[in-house]
Amino acid sequence: MSDRDKIIVALDVESCDKALKLVESLDGYANFFKIGLGLIGRGGLELASTLKKRGLHVFLDLKLFDISNTIKNAVSGLCEAKFDFLTVQGDPQVVKAAVEGRGKSNTKILAVTFLTSLDRKDLDQNLIIPGEVQTLACSRAEKAILAGADGVIASPKELSIIRENSLCMTKIIVTPGIRPTNSAIDDQKRVATPYEALKMGASYLVIGRPICQANDPLAAYEEIKTQISNN
């Protein structure tokens, strides 16, 4: 896998026009893009299909969560477009329904453990779940894999412990919360540099604002590849 295949550029912009412009500015360099909920109501699914038709890889980050029948039907429809990755919440019943809905499609079902914008304090305030975040994330990852997930979404802080789990050793781990050297952390709380995340076991890195909000997105993208290659 080349360095560019490891980097998923998150199209975290305000419109599909801006997203497409960003994709075109990285033409010939980046080949994997993430489209999330922020663009879905603005034509994001159509954009995702456009990118697939151009031969690019697409990660549809919807973090689906609903009753099993709804998840199954939703995933079945989405998989007709042959997106590469699709996220669902890590609850076993959701993962199982998504895998059933996928059928024979090659779309990889990835389970979300905990958002990278959360830490133990947030869990104390919003969820009555005891335990360290790393341990909880590993438990959710294990249960999701047992339910049939192809991999998980996990922050850099949980990478090592998840990768050490025998069920997760060969599975896909996509890692958001990536901040290149000297980049602002923004609203993320569990972060790492690209090199650190890959060293700890990430399969793919999701990088959005450090590229999208750069004055020169291509230069920012190339600098990230350099940071990966030079370590």
Side-chain angles (χ1 to χ4, degrees):
M1 184 189 298
S2 69
D3 289 339
R4 82 169 189 165
D5 292 324
K6 299 172 187 174
I7 300 172
I8 301 175
V9 179
L11 299 176
D12 295 333
V13 292
E14 298 81 13
S15 70
C16 285
D17 287 341
K18 289 185 178 180
L20 192 55
K21 183 178 180 180
L22 177 62
V23 171
E24 291 172 347
S25 74
L26 299 172
D27 184 39
Y29 295 87
N31 65 356
F32 212 147
F33 297 90
K34 181 177 84 74
I35 294 176
L37 289 173
L39 283 179
I40 292 301
R42 297 182 171 92
L45 287 178
E46 291 83 354
L47 173 62
S49 295
T50 296
L51 298 187
K52 282 300 297 180
K53 290 175 182 177
R54 293 187 179 189
L56 298 169
H57 297 299
V58 174
F59 169 16
L60 200 59
D61 186 21
L62 301 184
K63 302 179 179 71
L64 298 174
F65 182 74
D66 212 312
I67 62 172
S68 295
N69 190 58
T70 300
I71 292 293
K72 183 177 179 179
N73 290 334
V75 171
S76 177
L78 290 167
C79 284
E80 291 180 4
K82 300 180 181 179
F83 300 122
D84 297 272
F85 293 168
L86 174 65
T87 52
V88 301
Q89 289 294 332
D91 301 61
Q93 70 274 16
V94 174
V95 174
K96 183 178 179 180
V99 172
E100 290 176 358
R102 172 183 60 187
K104 296 181 179 180
S105 168
N106 290 324
T107 299
K108 303 299 183 185
I109 302 299
L110 304 180
V112 177
T113 53
F114 287 107
L115 299 178
T116 51
S117 60
L118 300 177
D119 58 16
R120 181 64 257 177
K121 182 178 179 181
D122 294 306
L123 297 184
D124 289 336
Q125 292 175 340
N126 302 310
L127 298 169
I128 306 174
I129 304 176
E132 294 297 323
V133 173
Q134 288 88 347
T135 303
L136 294 171
C138 186
S139 176
R140 280 178 65 81
E142 181 178 286
K143 291 175 181 177
I145 296 301
L146 286 171
D150 298 291
V152 299
I153 309 297
S155 93
K157 301 303 182 184
E158 289 81 64
L159 269 171
S160 295
I161 189 172
I162 291 176
R163 187 58 84 190
E164 289 171 0
N165 186 294
S166 60
L167 291 174
C168 304
M169 284 181 176
T170 60
K171 299 298 182 179
I172 297 168
I173 303 181
V174 176
T175 304
I178 301 300
R179 289 295 180 265
T181 305
N182 299 323
S183 291
I185 294 178
D186 299 307
D187 59 352
Q188 302 290 356
K189 294 178 180 177
R190 301 183 344 265
V191 302
T193 67
Y195 171 72
E196 289 169 342
L198 289 173
K199 186 177 180 180
M200 289 185 286
S203 308
Y204 299 88
L205 310 176
V206 175
I207 307 176
R209 281 170 284 190
I211 296 173
C212 298
Q213 296 181 3
N215 292 328
D216 186 339
L218 178 55
Y221 178 86
E222 288 292 275
E223 173 59 26
I224 291 168
K225 286 209 303 180
T226 298
Q227 290 182 25
I228 293 172
S229 301
N230 289 347
N231 286 279

